[in-house]
């Protein structure tokens, strides 16, 4: 759908490519647009062109004046892992003024950023007190807000809002589902269409194998996603795809892709990868591993083990690095690339490597006591020949405390 132009240049509007249907450049206009859409029960994607703190405060003021809360679900994806060098623009300054001040007077700029964070949190807290729900994206928003003196912590020092990993996606990771990527190096759309079909066939087969309710839900969601991917015109550059798949699905898809390369069904090799935001790839106590509650959320061993294991099992290349969206010193990421060239070696290496790449993280989550991870890794142990591990056992607290 095309969206209406609200005093915003068509050049800026063109950037959004259909994701945003209407753009508002004032708080009052945005609130009015929200009210109209809600009254009409109309699904609408709105882009606010301005500083989001102004919008948060405007929404809070509107609720205070009218008693009507327009915010049901909310989060913040600001780059707060780098708040003083362009990751967060304070509401008191324009974009241009911020760029000047952060270079010419960094201490004053830091002071304004922290004041803006306190103002933003005050509005969020007010709206949540009126029924809104807020979760942390894991981008160091709550961390930096706490450092700025904002009211975001409980008496025991934990944050007063949970991350979306704790609330939702962490359970998906525990099942072994995460963002699996591939790129068709031929650059041909027909190759991408063929890999979509192969991936869909794998998931349809998995649905016949008695999956648990949670696994079935993920399979059906991702089957719908890949079946409609071409229709939704998701490709913006390379002929590439991403979907959520588990250990069994990724291994089977890789084998199917490699076989298609060998037979000539695909015109060129396929390169496998995944997002770091995955089951095993990242140790990040503020995001990916924030729902691991046995104390090991502060350890960076999983990403390192992942890279070593992937390399030993034949990955084409691996990487280990810090940063990655939540800040230097706050996260460790491990990644891989795997070229499927149609050879027997590539097929064997991919299956072996993907078993490890996913199951390493599911095991870690099972050992932390997550029941879905326990179910998933037990299923892996039953279906993958030679895969043995020590299963999680719940200790009696009274016995442990008596030691």
């Amino acid at each position: 759908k095309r969206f209406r132009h609200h005093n915003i240049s068509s050049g800026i509007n063109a950037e959004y490519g259909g994701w945003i249907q209407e753009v508002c450049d004032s708080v009052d206009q945005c609130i009015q647009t929200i009210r109209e859409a809600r009254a009409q029960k109309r699904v609408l994607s709105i882009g606010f062109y301005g500083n989001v703190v102004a919008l948060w405060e405007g929404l809070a003021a509107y609720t205070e004046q009218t008693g009507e809360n327009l915010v049901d679900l909310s989060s913040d994806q600001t780059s707060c892992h780098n708040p003083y060098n362009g990751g967060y623009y304070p509401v008191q300054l324009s974009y241009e003024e911020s760029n000047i001040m952060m270079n010419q007077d960094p201490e004053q700029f830091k002071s304004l950023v922290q004041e803006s964070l306190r103002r933003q949190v005050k509005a969020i807290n007010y709206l949540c007190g009126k029924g809104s729900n807020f979760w942390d994206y894991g981008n160091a928003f709550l961390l930096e807000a706490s450092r700025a003196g904002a009211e975001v912590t409980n008496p025991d020092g934990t944050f007063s809002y949970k991350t979306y990993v704790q609330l939702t996606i962490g359970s998906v990771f525990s099942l072994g589902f995460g963002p699996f990527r591939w790129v068709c190096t031929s650059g041909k759309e027909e190759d991408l269409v063929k890999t979509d079909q192969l991936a869909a066939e794998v998931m349809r087969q998995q649905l016949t194998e008695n999956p648990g309710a949670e696994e079935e839900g993920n399979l059906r969601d991702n089957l719908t996603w890949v079946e409609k991917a071409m229709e939704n015109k998701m490709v913006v550059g390379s002929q590439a795809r991403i979907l959520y798949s588990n250990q069994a699905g990724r291994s089977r898809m890789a084998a199917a892709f490699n076989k298609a390369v060998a037979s000539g069904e695909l015109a060129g090799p396929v390169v496998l990868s995944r997002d770091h935001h995955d089951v095993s790839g990242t140790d990040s106590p503020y995001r990916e591993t924030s729902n691991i509650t046995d104390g090991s959320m502060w350890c960076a061993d999983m990403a390192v083990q992942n890279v070593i294991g992937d390399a030993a099992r034949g990955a084409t290349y691996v990487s280990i690095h810090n940063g990655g969206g939540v800040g230097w010193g706050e996260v460790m990421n491990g990644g891989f690339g795997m070229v499927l060239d149609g050879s027997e070696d590539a097929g064997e290496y991919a299956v072996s490597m993907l078993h490890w790449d996913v199951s390493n993280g599911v095991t870690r989550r099972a050992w932390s006591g997550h029941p879905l991870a326990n179910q998933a890794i037990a299923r892996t142990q039953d279906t993958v020949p030679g895969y043995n591990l020590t299963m999680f056992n719940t200790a009696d607290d009274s016995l442990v405390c008596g030691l």
Side-chain angles (χ1 to χ4, degrees), residues 80-98:
C80 271
H81 58 283
N82 189 21
Y84 309 121
N85 289 287
Y88 185 99
Y89 281 72
V91 68
Q92 307 93 316
L93 302 175
S94 69
Y95 176 76
E96 292 77 16
E97 290 169 337
S98 291

Side-chain angles (χ1 to χ4, degrees), residues 93 97-106 108-109 112:
L93 302 175
E97 290 169 337
S98 291
N99 286 337
I100 293 170
M101 185 179 287
M102 74 174 70
N103 286 290
Q104 295 185 357
D105 193 350
Q108 177 62 12
F109 183 74
L112 292 178

Side-chain angles (χ1 to χ4, degrees), residues 11-74:
I12 292 174
N13 278 330
E15 290 181 34
Y16 302 113
W19 291 105
I20 293 177
Q21 294 164 282
E22 296 193 17
V23 179
C24 300
D25 61 354
S26 78
V27 171
D28 290 343
Q29 183 185 50
C30 191
I31 289 175
Q32 183 59 30
T33 303
I34 295 170
R35 292 183 65 233
E36 290 173 1
R38 284 168 66 99
Q40 298 164 10
K41 298 188 183 300
R42 181 164 56 106
V43 176
L44 181 65
S45 174
I46 304 167
F48 174 64
Y49 189 63
N51 193 302
V52 74
V53 180
L55 182 58
W56 275 112
E57 292 183 329
L59 288 163
Y62 174 81
T63 300
E64 187 173 13
Q65 292 163 11
T66 66
E68 181 185 17
N69 188 352
L70 299 177
V71 181
D72 295 314
L73 304 173
S74 58

Side-chain angles (χ1 to χ4, degrees), residues 305-328:
Q305 290 169 358
N306 230 60
V307 160
I308 294 170
D310 287 354
R313 287 162 177 78
T316 306
Y317 61 86
V318 294
S319 62
I320 187 79
H321 48 91
N322 209 282
V326 295
W328 297 107

Side-chain angles (χ1 to χ4, degrees), residues 259-392:
K259 185 177 178 181
V261 173
S263 69
E265 290 180 83
L266 296 175
V270 173
V271 178
L272 305 179
S273 185
R274 59 160 166 70
D275 199 299
H276 290 143
H277 179 60
D278 196 13
V279 181
S280 309
T282 298
D283 289 293
S284 176
Y286 300 110
R287 192 159 66 188
E288 284 82 356
T289 47
S290 60
N291 71 322
I292 292 178
T293 56
D294 64 347
S296 66
M297 64 191 293
W298 303 105
C299 301
D301 58 335
M302 182 170 67
V304 175
Q305 290 169 358
N306 230 60
V307 160
I308 294 170
D310 287 354
R313 287 162 177 78
T316 306
Y317 61 86
V318 294
S319 62
I320 187 79
H321 48 91
N322 209 282
V326 295
W328 297 107
E330 309 290 357
V331 57
M332 188 67 78
N333 298 300
F336 76 86
M338 181 79 203
V339 177
L340 301 177
D341 60 6
S343 66
E344 286 187 23
D345 281 351
E348 292 176 7
Y349 293 161
V351 170
S352 175
M353 186 207 68
L354 289 167
H355 280 324
W356 169 260
D357 190 71
V358 179
S359 298
N360 174 44
V362 179
T363 302
R364 162 86 175 274
R365 294 167 192 280
W367 284 343
S368 75
H370 200 290
L372 291 178
N374 264 311
Q375 294 172 25
I377 206 64
R379 186 178 177 92
T380 298
Q381 188 165 232
D382 289 341
T383 56
V384 177
Y387 191 83
N388 296 298
L389 71 152
T390 303
M391 295 300 289
F392 172 83

Side-chain angles (χ1 to χ4, degrees), residues 251-262:
S251 299
R252 295 182 195 180
M253 289 176 200
F257 296 166
N258 194 59
K259 185 177 178 181
V261 173

